[in-house]
Amino acid sequence: MTDRIEPVSVSRWIAASPEEVFALVREPSRHVDFDGSGMLRGALDYGPVEGAGDVFVMRMYHEQFGDYEMANTVVEFEPDRLIAWEPSRHDEEAEHWHYRWRYSFSPEGGGTLVTESFDLSSSPPAACQATKGGTVWLEAMRESLARLDKLCTSRPAAG
């Protein structure tokens, strides 16, 4: 029997509707605005994700790897409720780790409970080891949700 790797998740209540928060997350060109990892450099694709099967490419940077690109295949999509994608290297051949980023949006108390998850349940042992079961991303996930909160709740003053 093998041990199942459970997703790691972070949640935050945001004083905005699920529709407003979902609209930002489904727009790849906005990901750099709320990325808490500091690795995103921009989207190669513009326009919102429309459904499962869509692919959007992000330019990335990591000190160990330098500049690279990730193709993100949308694997779950429920408007205003859920979006998830599975990244893989776009610019070169590399082992596919089959991990998944997921955002869920639940109406709660006049706002939205947003949960970001990193799921390694289909990943090879090397991916689990390299990310310490996904826990290496927890602080970046908290920062991403804080930035998403600020984007959703900072409104320009009426003029």
Side-chain angles (χ1 to χ4, degrees):
M1 184 172 171
T2 61
D3 293 329
R4 176 167 163 74
I5 301 292
E6 293 297 321
V8 295
S9 299
V10 173
S11 297
R12 183 181 180 113
W13 183 83
I14 296 177
S17 71
E19 295 83 6
E20 291 174 284
V21 186
F22 181 80
L24 279 170
V25 177
R26 74 184 282 218
E27 186 69 57
S29 65
R30 297 300 306 269
H31 287 199
V32 72
D33 297 335
F34 62 88
D35 167 44
S37 74
M39 295 171 57
L40 294 183
R41 296 298 183 253
L44 294 181
D45 304 296
Y46 295 91
V49 169
E50 298 292 336
D54 282 3
V55 177
F56 61 94
V57 179
M58 299 299 294
R59 289 182 293 117
M60 312 280 294
Y61 176 82
H62 187 276
E63 188 174 279
Q64 182 179 355
F65 310 116
D67 292 315
Y68 61 102
E69 296 174 0
M70 295 297 281
N72 299 280
T73 302
V74 177
V75 293
E76 298 176 73
F77 187 90
E78 294 177 39
D80 307 326
R81 293 287 187 190
L82 175 70
I83 185 169
W85 56 85
E86 193 171 287
S88 61
R89 284 295 292 258
H90 176 66
D91 55 342
E92 66 178 47
E93 288 296 318
E95 178 184 10
H96 188 33
W97 279 7
H98 301 284
Y99 59 89
R100 185 173 289 190
W101 289 103
R102 177 183 290 116
Y103 284 83
S104 64
F105 313 91
S106 301
E108 185 176 290
T112 304
L113 182 65
V114 181
T115 300
E116 180 180 3
S117 302
F118 181 72
D119 184 351
L120 288 157
S121 60
S122 297
S123 299
C128 299
Q129 286 179 315
T131 64
K132 297 182 181 171
T135 61
V136 298
W137 296 118
L138 288 172
E139 187 55 40
M141 293 163 68
R142 281 189 277 278
E143 179 63 23
S144 291
L145 293 185
R147 290 175 180 217
L148 193 58
D149 187 346
K150 187 174 182 179
L151 286 170
C152 290
T153 59
S154 297
R155 308 275 195 269

